[in-house]
């Protein structure tokens, strides 16, 4: 660049300074996730492949947290809600896709891949729980676990055998609002009851089909504003 006089040079320096200052004060925004909604709920697939659900009827928010770092995510910044997940222990890629019901407070998540699955895969991540709430587990005649009870040990319960859950669903409630998850492909699935920040939570886990990932796995989430465990059971 050739400056014809000192005034032009001073103007160029000032422009460079203010441009740099604006960039420093307003850095490029990181991709936070992509959202979709229906009349009842708004669902966000975050950059780390956790899910956040806003119940538009009550403004309650349900948020997930990472249970492990075995999965790295690449979320597509466009609808439909979709992410590519790399499962490090098995060195495979999976596709996770979310589809909202047109009107009801629910959505389905599918997980698909091809090739071997040498280790079971836990996804989606668990929704966090609050003190005073309960996990709802259809084991035997049904059990509710206080999430802040320190005497309860982590559990892994199959969804396809006689020594796990007897119906393929689970949930959590504070006695009024609740969410439930229905394992629509339960044959090679189980649930993991774990602890996040000292509180119990649940995540589904998918096992192989004869050593392969096999068919598309599917889970449905439903959200309730009232009714607690009775609404889940109904």
């Amino acid at each position: 660049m050739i400056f014809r006089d000192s005034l032009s040079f001073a103007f160029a320096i000032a422009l460079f300074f203010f441009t740099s200052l604006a960039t420093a004060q307003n850095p490029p925004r990181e991709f936070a996730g992509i959202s979709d909604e229906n009349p009842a709920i708004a669902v966000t697939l975050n950059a780390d492949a956790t899910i956040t659900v806003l119940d538009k009827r009550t403004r309650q928010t349900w948020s997930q947290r990472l249970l492990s770092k075995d999965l790295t995510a690449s979320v597509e910044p466009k609808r439909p809600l979709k992410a590519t997940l790399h499962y490090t222990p098995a060195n495979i890629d999976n596709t996770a896709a979310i589809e909202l019901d047109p009107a009801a407070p629910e959505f389905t998540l599918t997980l698909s891949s091809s090739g071997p699955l040498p280790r079971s895969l836990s996804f989606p991540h668990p929704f966090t729980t609050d003190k005073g709430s309960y996990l709802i587990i259809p084991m035997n005649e049904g059990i509710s676990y206080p999430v802040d009870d320190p005497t309860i040990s982590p559990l892994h319960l199959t969804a396809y055998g006689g020594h796990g859950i007897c119906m393929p669903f689970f949930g959590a409630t504070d006695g009024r609002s609740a969410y439930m998850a229905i394992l629509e492909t339960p044959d090679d699935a189980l649930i993991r009851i774990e602890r996040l920040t000292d509180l119990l939570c649940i995540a589904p886990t998918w096992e192989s089909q004869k050593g392969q990932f096999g068919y598309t796995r599917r889970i449905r989430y439903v959200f309730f504003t009232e009714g607690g465990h009775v609404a889940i059971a109904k």
Side-chain angles (χ1 to χ4, degrees), residues 94-154:
N94 311 272
T95 298
I98 292 175
E99 181 179 355
L100 273 72
D101 185 275
E106 56 188 75
F107 68 87
T108 56
L109 184 146
T110 57
L111 192 63
S112 58
S113 187
S114 60
L117 183 62
R119 288 182 54 181
S120 58
L121 186 157
S122 293
F123 187 82
H125 298 288
F127 283 101
T128 59
T129 53
D130 296 317
K131 289 184 177 180
S133 59
Y134 298 82
L135 302 184
I136 305 300
I137 309 297
M139 182 170 63
N140 300 325
E141 295 183 359
I143 296 177
S144 63
Y145 290 108
V147 300
D148 47 2
D149 185 340
T151 67
I152 300 173
S153 301

Short mmCIF file of all heavy atoms in Angstrom, two decimals, residues 94-154:
data_model
loop_
_atom_site.label_atom_id
_atom_site.label_comp_id
_atom_site.label_asym_id
_atom_site.label_seq_id
_atom_site.Cartn_x
_atom_site.Cartn_y
_atom_site.Cartn_z
N ASN A 94 -20.82 -43.09 14.19
CA ASN A 94 -22.26 -43.32 14.29
C ASN A 94 -22.98 -42.05 13.88
O ASN A 94 -22.44 -40.95 14.00
CB ASN A 94 -22.67 -43.69 15.72
CG ASN A 94 -21.82 -44.77 16.32
OD1 ASN A 94 -22.10 -45.93 16.18
ND2 ASN A 94 -20.74 -44.38 17.01
N THR A 95 -24.20 -42.20 13.44
CA THR A 95 -25.04 -41.06 13.12
C THR A 95 -26.21 -41.02 14.09
O THR A 95 -26.96 -41.99 14.20
CB THR A 95 -25.58 -41.13 11.68
OG1 THR A 95 -24.48 -41.12 10.76
CG2 THR A 95 -26.48 -39.94 11.38
N ALA A 96 -26.34 -39.90 14.80
CA ALA A 96 -27.46 -39.69 15.70
C ALA A 96 -28.40 -38.66 15.08
O ALA A 96 -27.95 -37.62 14.61
CB ALA A 96 -26.98 -39.21 17.06
N ALA A 97 -29.70 -38.96 15.07
CA ALA A 97 -30.67 -38.05 14.47
C ALA A 97 -31.87 -37.91 15.40
O ALA A 97 -32.30 -38.89 16.03
CB ALA A 97 -31.12 -38.56 13.10
N ILE A 98 -32.38 -36.69 15.52
CA ILE A 98 -33.52 -36.39 16.40
C ILE A 98 -34.69 -35.93 15.55
O ILE A 98 -34.54 -35.09 14.66
CB ILE A 98 -33.15 -35.30 17.42
CG1 ILE A 98 -32.12 -35.83 18.41
CG2 ILE A 98 -34.38 -34.78 18.14
CD1 ILE A 98 -31.61 -34.78 19.38
N GLU A 99 -35.86 -36.48 15.86
CA GLU A 99 -37.09 -36.09 15.16
C GLU A 99 -38.17 -35.77 16.18
O GLU A 99 -38.52 -36.61 17.01
CB GLU A 99 -37.57 -37.19 14.22
CG GLU A 99 -38.82 -36.83 13.45
CD GLU A 99 -39.27 -37.92 12.50
OE1 GLU A 99 -38.54 -38.94 12.39
OE2 GLU A 99 -40.34 -37.78 11.88
N LEU A 100 -38.68 -34.54 16.15
CA LEU A 100 -39.73 -34.13 17.07
C LEU A 100 -41.09 -34.60 16.57
O LEU A 100 -41.35 -34.63 15.36
CB LEU A 100 -39.77 -32.61 17.23
CG LEU A 100 -38.85 -32.00 18.29
CD1 LEU A 100 -37.40 -32.07 17.85
CD2 LEU A 100 -39.26 -30.55 18.57
N ASP A 101 -41.97 -34.96 17.51
CA ASP A 101 -43.36 -35.19 17.17
C ASP A 101 -43.96 -33.86 16.71
O ASP A 101 -43.60 -32.79 17.21
CB ASP A 101 -44.11 -35.71 18.39
CG ASP A 101 -45.54 -36.08 18.08
OD1 ASP A 101 -46.41 -35.18 18.12
OD2 ASP A 101 -45.78 -37.26 17.79
N PRO A 102 -44.88 -33.86 15.74
CA PRO A 102 -45.45 -32.60 15.26
C PRO A 102 -46.12 -31.77 16.34
O PRO A 102 -46.13 -30.54 16.25
CB PRO A 102 -46.45 -33.05 14.20
CG PRO A 102 -45.96 -34.38 13.74
CD PRO A 102 -45.36 -35.02 14.95
N ALA A 103 -46.68 -32.40 17.36
CA ALA A 103 -47.42 -31.64 18.36
C ALA A 103 -47.17 -32.07 19.79
O ALA A 103 -47.18 -31.25 20.70
CB ALA A 103 -48.93 -31.73 18.06
N ALA A 104 -46.93 -33.35 20.03
CA ALA A 104 -46.81 -33.87 21.40
C ALA A 104 -45.45 -33.51 22.01
O ALA A 104 -44.48 -33.27 21.29
CB ALA A 104 -46.99 -35.38 21.40
N PRO A 105 -45.36 -33.49 23.35
CA PRO A 105 -44.09 -33.16 24.03
C PRO A 105 -43.13 -34.33 24.03
O PRO A 105 -42.78 -34.88 25.09
CB PRO A 105 -44.55 -32.79 25.44
CG PRO A 105 -45.77 -33.63 25.66
CD PRO A 105 -46.46 -33.70 24.33
N GLU A 106 -42.70 -34.75 22.86
CA GLU A 106 -41.81 -35.90 22.77
C GLU A 106 -40.98 -35.84 21.50
O GLU A 106 -41.32 -35.16 20.54
CB GLU A 106 -42.61 -37.20 22.83
CG GLU A 106 -43.69 -37.32 21.78
CD GLU A 106 -44.59 -38.54 22.02
OE1 GLU A 106 -45.42 -38.49 22.95
OE2 GLU A 106 -44.41 -39.54 21.28
N PHE A 107 -39.88 -36.59 21.52
CA PHE A 107 -39.05 -36.73 20.33
C PHE A 107 -38.41 -38.11 20.33
O PHE A 107 -38.32 -38.77 21.37
CB PHE A 107 -37.97 -35.64 20.26
CG PHE A 107 -36.90 -35.74 21.31
CD1 PHE A 107 -35.76 -36.51 21.12
CD2 PHE A 107 -37.01 -35.02 22.51
CE1 PHE A 107 -34.77 -36.59 22.09
CE2 PHE A 107 -36.03 -35.10 23.49
CZ PHE A 107 -34.90 -35.89 23.27
N THR A 108 -37.99 -38.54 19.16
CA THR A 108 -37.28 -39.81 19.03
C THR A 108 -35.84 -39.53 18.61
O THR A 108 -35.57 -38.57 17.89
CB THR A 108 -37.93 -40.74 18.01
OG1 THR A 108 -38.02 -40.07 16.75
CG2 THR A 108 -39.32 -41.15 18.46
N LEU A 109 -34.94 -40.37 19.08
CA LEU A 109 -33.55 -40.30 18.69
C LEU A 109 -33.16 -41.66 18.12
O LEU A 109 -33.41 -42.69 18.74
CB LEU A 109 -32.65 -39.93 19.86
CG LEU A 109 -31.16 -39.75 19.54
CD1 LEU A 109 -30.55 -38.67 20.42
CD2 LEU A 109 -30.39 -41.07 19.73
N THR A 110 -32.55 -41.63 16.94
CA THR A 110 -32.05 -42.86 16.33
C THR A 110 -30.54 -42.83 16.26
O THR A 110 -29.93 -41.76 16.13
CB THR A 110 -32.62 -43.07 14.92
OG1 THR A 110 -32.30 -41.93 14.11
CG2 THR A 110 -34.13 -43.24 14.97
N LEU A 111 -29.95 -44.00 16.37
CA LEU A 111 -28.50 -44.14 16.33
C LEU A 111 -28.19 -45.26 15.34
O LEU A 111 -28.67 -46.39 15.49
CB LEU A 111 -27.97 -44.49 17.71
CG LEU A 111 -26.47 -44.39 17.95
CD1 LEU A 111 -25.98 -42.97 17.77
CD2 LEU A 111 -26.12 -44.90 19.35
N SER A 112 -27.41 -44.93 14.31
CA SER A 112 -27.12 -45.91 13.27
C SER A 112 -25.64 -45.93 12.95
O SER A 112 -24.93 -44.94 13.13
CB SER A 112 -27.93 -45.60 12.00
OG SER A 112 -27.64 -44.30 11.53
N SER A 113 -25.17 -47.08 12.48
CA SER A 113 -23.79 -47.26 12.08
C SER A 113 -23.68 -48.56 11.31
O SER A 113 -24.68 -49.25 11.09
CB SER A 113 -22.86 -47.28 13.31
OG SER A 113 -21.51 -47.31 12.92
N SER A 114 -22.49 -48.87 10.87
CA SER A 114 -22.24 -50.14 10.20
C SER A 114 -20.91 -50.70 10.69
O SER A 114 -20.07 -49.96 11.21
CB SER A 114 -22.21 -49.96 8.68
OG SER A 114 -21.19 -49.06 8.29
N GLY A 115 -20.74 -52.00 10.53
CA GLY A 115 -19.49 -52.61 10.95
C GLY A 115 -19.56 -53.14 12.37
O GLY A 115 -20.63 -53.18 13.00
N PRO A 116 -18.43 -53.54 12.92
CA PRO A 116 -18.39 -54.19 14.24
C PRO A 116 -18.64 -53.21 15.38
O PRO A 116 -18.42 -52.01 15.26
CB PRO A 116 -16.98 -54.77 14.31
CG PRO A 116 -16.17 -53.88 13.42
CD PRO A 116 -17.09 -53.49 12.31
N LEU A 117 -19.11 -53.76 16.49
CA LEU A 117 -19.26 -53.00 17.73
C LEU A 117 -18.63 -53.84 18.84
O LEU A 117 -19.31 -54.59 19.53
CB LEU A 117 -20.73 -52.71 18.03
CG LEU A 117 -21.01 -51.85 19.28
CD1 LEU A 117 -20.39 -50.46 19.15
CD2 LEU A 117 -22.51 -51.74 19.55
N PRO A 118 -17.31 -53.73 19.01
CA PRO A 118 -16.61 -54.59 19.98
C PRO A 118 -16.90 -54.23 21.42
O PRO A 118 -16.66 -55.04 22.32
CB PRO A 118 -15.13 -54.37 19.64
CG PRO A 118 -15.09 -53.03 18.98
CD PRO A 118 -16.38 -52.88 18.25
N ARG A 119 -17.40 -53.00 21.67
CA ARG A 119 -17.74 -52.59 23.03
C ARG A 119 -19.09 -51.92 23.02
O ARG A 119 -19.46 -51.25 22.05
CB ARG A 119 -16.69 -51.62 23.59
CG ARG A 119 -15.37 -52.27 23.94
CD ARG A 119 -14.42 -51.25 24.54
NE ARG A 119 -14.98 -50.55 25.68
CZ ARG A 119 -14.34 -49.60 26.37
NH1 ARG A 119 -13.10 -49.27 26.01
NH2 ARG A 119 -14.90 -49.02 27.39
N SER A 120 -19.87 -52.10 24.09
CA SER A 120 -21.18 -51.45 24.18
C SER A 120 -21.02 -49.93 24.18
O SER A 120 -20.00 -49.39 24.60
CB SER A 120 -21.93 -51.93 25.42
OG SER A 120 -21.17 -51.64 26.59
N LEU A 121 -22.05 -49.25 23.72
CA LEU A 121 -22.00 -47.80 23.51
C LEU A 121 -23.13 -47.15 24.29
O LEU A 121 -24.30 -47.55 24.15
CB LEU A 121 -22.13 -47.51 22.01
CG LEU A 121 -21.97 -46.08 21.51
CD1 LEU A 121 -21.58 -46.10 20.02
CD2 LEU A 121 -23.25 -45.26 21.65
N SER A 122 -22.81 -46.16 25.11
CA SER A 122 -23.81 -45.43 25.90
C SER A 122 -24.12 -44.09 25.25
O SER A 122 -23.25 -43.23 25.15
CB SER A 122 -23.32 -45.22 27.33
OG SER A 122 -23.22 -46.43 28.02
N PHE A 123 -25.34 -43.93 24.79
CA PHE A 123 -25.80 -42.69 24.18
C PHE A 123 -27.30 -42.80 23.99
O PHE A 123 -27.77 -43.86 23.63
CB PHE A 123 -25.10 -42.44 22.82
CG PHE A 123 -25.41 -41.09 22.24
CD1 PHE A 123 -24.69 -39.98 22.67
CD2 PHE A 123 -26.41 -40.92 21.31
CE1 PHE A 123 -24.98 -38.72 22.17
CE2 PHE A 123 -26.70 -39.67 20.79
CZ PHE A 123 -25.97 -38.58 21.22
N PRO A 124 -28.06 -41.74 24.22
CA PRO A 124 -27.67 -40.39 24.61
C PRO A 124 -27.14 -40.31 26.04
O PRO A 124 -27.26 -41.24 26.81
CB PRO A 124 -28.97 -39.59 24.47
CG PRO A 124 -29.90 -40.44 23.69
CD PRO A 124 -29.51 -41.84 23.98
N HIS A 125 -26.60 -39.14 26.36
CA HIS A 125 -26.11 -38.89 27.71
C HIS A 125 -27.30 -38.74 28.66
O HIS A 125 -28.44 -38.52 28.24
CB HIS A 125 -25.25 -37.63 27.72
CG HIS A 125 -24.03 -37.74 26.87
ND1 HIS A 125 -22.95 -38.54 27.20
CD2 HIS A 125 -23.70 -37.17 25.67
CE1 HIS A 125 -22.02 -38.45 26.26
NE2 HIS A 125 -22.45 -37.64 25.33
N PRO A 126 -27.07 -38.85 29.97
CA PRO A 126 -28.18 -38.77 30.92
C PRO A 126 -28.67 -37.34 31.16
O PRO A 126 -27.87 -36.40 31.15
CB PRO A 126 -27.58 -39.36 32.20
CG PRO A 126 -26.13 -39.05 32.09
CD PRO A 126 -25.79 -39.16 30.63
N PHE A 127 -29.96 -37.20 31.38
CA PHE A 127 -30.50 -35.94 31.88
C PHE A 127 -30.14 -35.82 33.36
O PHE A 127 -30.22 -36.79 34.11
CB PHE A 127 -32.02 -35.88 31.71
CG PHE A 127 -32.46 -35.59 30.31
CD1 PHE A 127 -32.89 -36.60 29.48
CD2 PHE A 127 -32.41 -34.29 29.82
CE1 PHE A 127 -33.29 -36.32 28.17
CE2 PHE A 127 -32.80 -34.00 28.52
CZ PHE A 127 -33.24 -35.02 27.69
N THR A 128 -29.73 -34.64 33.76
CA THR A 128 -29.36 -34.42 35.16
C THR A 128 -30.61 -34.45 36.04
O THR A 128 -31.73 -34.24 35.58
CB THR A 128 -28.64 -33.08 35.35
OG1 THR A 128 -29.50 -32.02 34.90
CG2 THR A 128 -27.34 -33.05 34.56
N THR A 129 -30.41 -34.74 37.30
CA THR A 129 -31.50 -34.79 38.27
C THR A 129 -31.23 -33.80 39.39
O THR A 129 -30.12 -33.31 39.57
CB THR A 129 -31.63 -36.21 38.85
OG1 THR A 129 -30.34 -36.64 39.35
CG2 THR A 129 -32.10 -37.20 37.79
N ASP A 130 -32.27 -33.51 40.17
CA ASP A 130 -32.17 -32.58 41.29
C ASP A 130 -32.46 -33.30 42.60
O ASP A 130 -33.17 -34.31 42.63
CB ASP A 130 -33.16 -31.41 41.13
CG ASP A 130 -32.86 -30.57 39.91
OD1 ASP A 130 -31.67 -30.28 39.68
OD2 ASP A 130 -33.81 -30.19 39.20
N LYS A 131 -31.91 -32.77 43.68
CA LYS A 131 -32.20 -33.33 44.99
C LYS A 131 -33.71 -33.36 45.24
O LYS A 131 -34.42 -32.43 44.89
CB LYS A 131 -31.50 -32.52 46.08
CG LYS A 131 -29.99 -32.68 46.09
CD LYS A 131 -29.37 -31.91 47.26
CE LYS A 131 -27.86 -32.13 47.31
NZ LYS A 131 -27.24 -31.39 48.44
N GLY A 132 -34.16 -34.44 45.83
CA GLY A 132 -35.58 -34.58 46.11
C GLY A 132 -36.35 -35.27 45.00
O GLY A 132 -37.54 -35.54 45.16
N SER A 133 -35.69 -35.57 43.88
CA SER A 133 -36.38 -36.27 42.79
C SER A 133 -36.05 -37.76 42.83
O SER A 133 -35.21 -38.21 43.61
CB SER A 133 -36.01 -35.65 41.44
OG SER A 133 -34.62 -35.72 41.20
N TYR A 134 -36.72 -38.51 41.97
CA TYR A 134 -36.63 -39.97 41.99
C TYR A 134 -36.42 -40.51 40.58
O TYR A 134 -36.96 -39.97 39.61
CB TYR A 134 -37.92 -40.58 42.54
CG TYR A 134 -38.25 -40.21 43.97
CD1 TYR A 134 -38.87 -39.00 44.26
CD2 TYR A 134 -37.93 -41.06 45.02
CE1 TYR A 134 -39.18 -38.65 45.58
CE2 TYR A 134 -38.23 -40.73 46.33
CZ TYR A 134 -38.85 -39.53 46.60
OH TYR A 134 -39.14 -39.19 47.90
N LEU A 135 -35.66 -41.59 40.50
CA LEU A 135 -35.63 -42.37 39.28
C LEU A 135 -36.77 -43.37 39.30
O LEU A 135 -37.05 -43.97 40.35
CB LEU A 135 -34.30 -43.12 39.15
CG LEU A 135 -33.01 -42.31 39.16
CD1 LEU A 135 -31.82 -43.24 38.92
CD2 LEU A 135 -33.03 -41.20 38.13
N ILE A 136 -37.41 -43.58 38.16
CA ILE A 136 -38.50 -44.54 38.05
C ILE A 136 -38.00 -45.70 37.20
O ILE A 136 -37.72 -45.53 36.01
CB ILE A 136 -39.74 -43.89 37.43
CG1 ILE A 136 -40.15 -42.64 38.23
CG2 ILE A 136 -40.88 -44.89 37.35
CD1 ILE A 136 -40.48 -42.92 39.69
N ILE A 137 -37.89 -46.88 37.80
CA ILE A 137 -37.30 -48.04 37.14
C ILE A 137 -38.29 -49.21 37.19
O ILE A 137 -38.71 -49.62 38.28
CB ILE A 137 -35.99 -48.48 37.84
CG1 ILE A 137 -35.04 -47.29 38.02
CG2 ILE A 137 -35.33 -49.60 37.06
CD1 ILE A 137 -34.56 -46.68 36.74
N PRO A 138 -38.69 -49.76 36.05
CA PRO A 138 -39.62 -50.90 36.03
C PRO A 138 -38.90 -52.22 36.30
O PRO A 138 -38.85 -53.11 35.44
CB PRO A 138 -40.21 -50.84 34.62
CG PRO A 138 -39.10 -50.29 33.79
CD PRO A 138 -38.38 -49.29 34.67
N MET A 139 -38.35 -52.34 37.48
CA MET A 139 -37.69 -53.58 37.89
C MET A 139 -38.59 -54.28 38.90
O MET A 139 -39.07 -53.63 39.85
CB MET A 139 -36.31 -53.30 38.48
CG MET A 139 -35.55 -54.55 38.88
SD MET A 139 -33.82 -54.23 39.31
CE MET A 139 -33.99 -53.17 40.76
N ASN A 140 -38.82 -55.61 38.71
CA ASN A 140 -39.78 -56.36 39.52
C ASN A 140 -41.15 -55.67 39.43
O ASN A 140 -41.68 -55.54 38.34
CB ASN A 140 -39.27 -56.49 40.96
CG ASN A 140 -37.95 -57.22 41.02
OD1 ASN A 140 -37.71 -58.13 40.24
ND2 ASN A 140 -37.08 -56.82 41.94
N GLU A 141 -41.69 -55.18 40.52
CA GLU A 141 -42.98 -54.50 40.47
C GLU A 141 -42.83 -52.99 40.35
O GLU A 141 -43.81 -52.25 40.46
CB GLU A 141 -43.81 -54.86 41.71
CG GLU A 141 -44.18 -56.34 41.77
CD GLU A 141 -45.04 -56.67 42.95
OE1 GLU A 141 -45.34 -55.76 43.74
OE2 GLU A 141 -45.43 -57.84 43.09
N GLY A 142 -41.63 -52.52 40.10
CA GLY A 142 -41.39 -51.09 39.95
C GLY A 142 -40.71 -50.50 41.17
O GLY A 142 -41.11 -50.78 42.31
N ILE A 143 -39.65 -49.74 40.95
CA ILE A 143 -38.88 -49.15 42.04
C ILE A 143 -38.64 -47.68 41.75
O ILE A 143 -38.38 -47.29 40.60
CB ILE A 143 -37.53 -49.87 42.21
CG1 ILE A 143 -37.74 -51.33 42.63
CG2 ILE A 143 -36.65 -49.15 43.23
CD1 ILE A 143 -36.46 -52.13 42.76
N SER A 144 -38.74 -46.85 42.78
CA SER A 144 -38.33 -45.45 42.67
C SER A 144 -37.11 -45.25 43.56
O SER A 144 -37.13 -45.58 44.75
CB SER A 144 -39.46 -44.50 43.09
OG SER A 144 -39.81 -44.68 44.44
N TYR A 145 -36.04 -44.75 42.97
CA TYR A 145 -34.78 -44.53 43.68
C TYR A 145 -34.60 -43.04 43.98
O TYR A 145 -34.54 -42.24 43.04
CB TYR A 145 -33.60 -44.99 42.83
CG TYR A 145 -33.47 -46.48 42.65
CD1 TYR A 145 -33.76 -47.07 41.43
CD2 TYR A 145 -33.04 -47.30 43.69
CE1 TYR A 145 -33.62 -48.44 41.24
CE2 TYR A 145 -32.89 -48.67 43.52
CZ TYR A 145 -33.19 -49.23 42.29
OH TYR A 145 -33.05 -50.59 42.12
N PRO A 146 -34.53 -42.64 45.25
CA PRO A 146 -34.19 -41.25 45.54
C PRO A 146 -32.80 -40.94 44.98
O PRO A 146 -31.83 -41.64 45.29
CB PRO A 146 -34.20 -41.18 47.07
CG PRO A 146 -35.01 -42.38 47.51
CD PRO A 146 -34.77 -43.43 46.48
N VAL A 147 -32.69 -39.91 44.15
CA VAL A 147 -31.43 -39.67 43.46
C VAL A 147 -30.32 -39.22 44.40
O VAL A 147 -29.13 -39.33 44.07
CB VAL A 147 -31.60 -38.63 42.33
CG1 VAL A 147 -32.61 -39.10 41.32
CG2 VAL A 147 -31.99 -37.26 42.88
N ASP A 148 -30.69 -38.73 45.59
CA ASP A 148 -29.68 -38.27 46.53
C ASP A 148 -29.43 -39.26 47.66
O ASP A 148 -28.82 -38.92 48.69
CB ASP A 148 -30.06 -36.89 47.10
CG ASP A 148 -31.51 -36.83 47.57
OD1 ASP A 148 -32.21 -37.87 47.49
OD2 ASP A 148 -31.95 -35.75 47.99
N ASP A 149 -29.87 -40.52 47.49
CA ASP A 149 -29.61 -41.55 48.48
C ASP A 149 -28.21 -42.11 48.26
O ASP A 149 -27.94 -42.77 47.26
CB ASP A 149 -30.64 -42.67 48.34
CG ASP A 149 -30.52 -43.74 49.43
OD1 ASP A 149 -29.44 -43.83 50.05
OD2 ASP A 149 -31.49 -44.48 49.64
N PRO A 150 -27.26 -41.87 49.18
CA PRO A 150 -25.87 -42.29 48.96
C PRO A 150 -25.66 -43.79 49.10
O PRO A 150 -24.59 -44.30 48.77
CB PRO A 150 -25.10 -41.53 50.04
CG PRO A 150 -26.10 -41.33 51.14
CD PRO A 150 -27.42 -41.16 50.46
N THR A 151 -26.67 -44.52 49.57
CA THR A 151 -26.50 -45.96 49.79
C THR A 151 -26.78 -46.78 48.53
O THR A 151 -26.53 -47.99 48.52
CB THR A 151 -27.43 -46.45 50.91
OG1 THR A 151 -28.80 -46.34 50.49
CG2 THR A 151 -27.22 -45.63 52.18
N ILE A 152 -27.30 -46.15 47.49
CA ILE A 152 -27.65 -46.88 46.26
C ILE A 152 -26.43 -46.94 45.36
O ILE A 152 -25.85 -45.92 45.00
CB ILE A 152 -28.82 -46.20 45.54
CG1 ILE A 152 -30.06 -46.19 46.45
CG2 ILE A 152 -29.13 -46.93 44.23
CD1 ILE A 152 -31.22 -45.39 45.89
N SER A 153 -26.04 -48.15 45.01
CA SER A 153 -24.87 -48.34 44.15
C SER A 153 -25.27 -48.26 42.68
O SER A 153 -26.42 -48.54 42.32
CB SER A 153 -24.23 -49.70 44.43
OG SER A 153 -23.83 -49.81 45.78
N PRO A 154 -24.33 -47.91 41.81
CA PRO A 154 -24.61 -47.93 40.37
C PRO A 154 -25.07 -49.31 39.92
O PRO A 154 -24.64 -50.34 40.46
CB PRO A 154 -23.26 -47.56 39.75
CG PRO A 154 -22.58 -46.75 40.81
CD PRO A 154 -22.99 -47.38 42.11
#
